[in-house]
Amino acid sequence: MEGFTYSNLFDTKGIEYIVVIIFLLLLIPFWVIVNRKSEVVQHIQQGIRVLTTNFLRIPKGLFFSPNHTWMYLEKSGQAKIGLDDFLQNVLGEISIQPLKMTGDTVKKGEVLAIIEQGEKQLRVHSPLSGEIVEANVLPGESDVSDANELEAGWLYSIVPASWQKETSGFLLGAEAANWFTDEITRLKDFLNIKLVRQAGVSTVLALQEGGELEINPLEKMDAGIWDEFQNEFMEQRS
């Protein structure tokens, strides 16, 4: 036939086009599978809350004690005292047993209240000395774990005896945020050491992939771990 020429596909670039088409046909299903896996991982990660400094509420104007309580000085001269957000997101659901009531005087470092979760307990030390003018904790009814705002979970209102002197070593703003970052790191190290001693519990329960801490890691821990947490994190002197 005149005007018709035959070209061998393998003598031209046609073979390259075929290779590209085959590569794309193989790549597309692989991309779909990988993308679906990524979506599943993302969905799982969204369901896991991890303890980071950005997750914690650190309102400006609050003083934070190394014993994990916060203080806020009101215009009236009274100071409110509460548990910091680190503590509330480490322990899980807790109740508070007050040891001091309105009219009582307290010294800095004295035990104000007991945190309870079943048979497990932690002692809350007063960050200030002074007279208690109001208590926000009632025996058997105190649950600060679901407070909408950090300030709403205050425990006591106190007239401080020596505010300036006793708060000189406390933390504010960016300094407090940096300290909480260090506390989270300390808690990771603490759990890595302690969890291996608790039968039936592995670090997977507390540490997510990448070494992040899951919210409320001490909720599943036994009383022995809580006692050691008390000594490591709530008995510091400022």
Side-chain angles (χ1 to χ4, degrees):
M1 297 178 57
E2 293 183 5
F4 175 81
T5 58
Y6 171 78
S7 298
N8 188 337
L9 184 65
F10 294 94
D11 292 336
T12 67
K13 291 183 176 296
I15 186 63
E16 297 179 10
Y17 300 145
I18 291 177
V19 171
V20 171
I21 292 172
I22 293 174
F23 175 76
L24 291 174
L25 289 175
L26 293 174
L27 179 62
I28 291 172
F30 176 77
W31 180 85
V32 171
I33 292 172
V34 170
N35 189 58
R36 285 178 179 175
K37 287 184 178 180
S38 178
E39 290 177 354
V40 170
V41 171
Q42 185 178 10
H43 177 73
I44 292 173
Q45 289 177 338
Q46 288 175 347
I48 298 175
R49 297 181 302 160
V50 295
L51 185 62
T52 64
T53 306
N54 291 334
F55 182 83
L56 300 179
R57 296 167 293 177
I58 312 174
K60 295 179 179 179
L62 266 62
F63 288 78
F64 291 93
S65 161
N67 293 334
H68 289 287
T69 52
W70 59 260
M71 292 130 286
Y72 178 75
L73 186 62
E74 299 180 305
K75 293 181 180 179
S76 64
Q78 297 178 14
K80 280 189 166 60
I81 297 171
L83 304 180
D84 69 23
D85 211 34
F86 170 88
L87 202 58
Q88 295 188 45
N89 282 288
V90 165
L91 303 179
E93 293 188 8
I94 55 175
S95 60
I96 307 294
Q97 179 67 34
L99 299 181
K100 299 291 183 178
M101 301 305 293
T102 301
D104 290 345
T105 57
V106 63
K107 293 183 179 180
K108 182 176 179 177
E110 190 176 350
V111 179
L112 274 179
I114 301 295
I115 296 172
E116 296 181 331
Q117 186 185 95
E119 297 181 353
K120 298 177 287 187
Q121 294 185 344
L122 293 173
R123 299 179 300 278
V124 180
H125 295 281
S126 179
L128 297 170
S129 302
E131 180 182 350
I132 294 173
V133 294
E134 191 175 358
N136 194 35
V137 287
L138 299 174
E141 299 180 6
S142 311
D143 188 343
V144 299
S145 59
D146 295 324
N148 293 325
E149 298 292 339
L150 185 60
E151 296 91 331
W154 61 275
L155 304 180
Y156 293 98
S157 184
I158 186 172
V159 176
S162 186
W163 169 268
Q164 188 171 357
K165 178 181 178 181
E166 293 187 337
T167 60
S168 61
F170 294 164
L171 304 157
L172 274 166
E175 190 178 17
N178 291 335
W179 175 70
F180 279 118
T181 298
D182 292 339
E183 286 294 271
I184 291 171
T185 300
R186 279 212 312 135
L187 182 60
K188 290 179 184 179
D189 294 339
F190 171 83
L191 291 175
N192 276 327
I193 295 171
K194 307 301 180 183
L195 285 180
V196 293
R197 291 167 26 198
Q198 185 163 325
V201 177
S202 69
T203 54
V204 176
L205 291 177
L207 299 175
Q208 297 302 317
E209 187 175 355
E212 297 295 345
L213 274 175
E214 186 178 350
I215 296 299
N216 303 330
L218 263 66
E219 192 168 30
K220 299 175 182 178
M221 304 298 125
D222 63 21
I225 298 293
W226 277 51
D227 289 342
E228 294 187 64
F229 178 84
Q230 173 84 53
N231 293 329
E232 291 283 341
F233 291 88
M234 298 184 67
E235 298 290 339
Q236 302 180 62
R237 294 293 177 258
S238 58

